[in-house]
Amino acid sequence: MIFLSRWLQAPLYIGLIVAQGAYVWQFMLELWHLITKIGSLNESEIMLIVLGLVDVVMIANLLIMVIIGGYETFVSRIRLEDHPDQPEWLSHVNANVLKVKLAMAIIGISSIHLLRTFIQAQSLYATTPHAGQIILWQTVIHLAFIISAVALAWIDKAGRPGKASVTAAPGRRSPQRSVA
């Protein structure tokens, strides 16, 4: 019964698939906005719309990693061996690898939000009395994401069985260190 309880997570992954559909809808709306208004937009506005599109794609990629990686890791094997569309990362996914990949995706998403804020800084200062604090806190939060990702990667690496720091290519001898 305890082992079967993992199937209680399956509806959660189905819900994330529905959320993925919402992001596809959002992407199409943003793309339509870009296409229909292209002649009246300045470079900064186009850049902001494109950053919004990239942001939606990165969040959708994050959802895919959570859906496929989480299902494969915690619920049941998907059995994609030898399938031409199998994601490269899926063959060696585990909970730690998934955490590091998610942290890296979150950093990418945070970077886009921070870049958007920097691009909009002039109008933000004109309309918001505490714009400097908003930018500062977004930067601090972004740095916290980076530090967290580095810590997760370090913990993952430290937890793996020891490997030599210099690995030879297959069929080649490892470099020998001379003792002087």
Side-chain angles (χ1 to χ4, degrees):
M1 186 163 143
I2 291 172
F3 184 65
L4 287 174
S5 70
R6 72 190 192 285
W7 287 100
L8 291 174
Q9 290 188 5
L12 303 177
Y13 293 112
I14 292 168
L16 288 178
I17 293 169
V18 172
Q20 178 93 353
Y23 269 100
V24 169
W25 179 257
Q26 180 65 34
F27 181 90
M28 293 307 202
L29 289 176
E30 289 290 322
L31 184 61
W32 181 253
H33 176 74
L34 176 64
I35 291 169
T36 58
K37 306 269 189 217
I38 192 74
S40 63
L41 299 172
N42 64 36
E43 181 184 358
S44 177
E45 292 169 326
I46 292 171
M47 189 183 318
L48 289 172
I49 292 171
V50 170
L51 283 174
L53 292 173
V54 171
D55 188 39
V56 170
V57 169
M58 291 188 76
I59 292 171
N61 290 343
L62 177 66
L63 282 169
I64 287 295
M65 280 193 288
V66 171
I67 293 165
I68 296 173
Y71 185 87
E72 173 88 9
T73 302
F74 300 111
V75 180
S76 182
R77 296 276 177 224
I78 298 177
R79 310 237 188 274
L80 291 177
E81 295 83 15
D82 300 324
H83 192 281
D85 293 332
Q86 178 184 2
E88 175 270 327
W89 55 269
L90 190 58
S91 63
H92 55 272
V93 73
N94 61 39
N96 288 334
V97 170
L98 192 57
K99 284 180 200 172
V100 172
K101 287 192 176 296
L102 292 174
M104 297 307 292
I106 289 169
I107 289 170
I109 293 164
S110 174
S111 297
I112 290 171
H113 282 267
L114 195 55
L115 180 58
R116 183 184 296 160
T117 299
F118 289 154
I119 291 169
Q120 295 174 326
Q122 188 175 10
S123 63
L124 188 63
Y125 276 109
T127 60
T128 308
H130 304 292
Q133 290 179 334
I134 292 169
I135 293 171
L136 174 68
W137 278 110
Q138 284 185 357
T139 304
V140 167
I141 291 168
H142 180 70
L143 290 172
F145 287 150
I146 291 171
I147 292 167
S148 297
V150 169
L152 282 171
W154 182 80
I155 290 167
D156 180 50
K157 185 176 181 177
R160 281 190 254 146
K163 290 184 178 180
S165 60
V166 178
T167 307
R172 299 173 88 182
R173 290 179 16 161
S174 294
Q176 300 293 322
R177 293 187 181 204
S178 62
V179 179

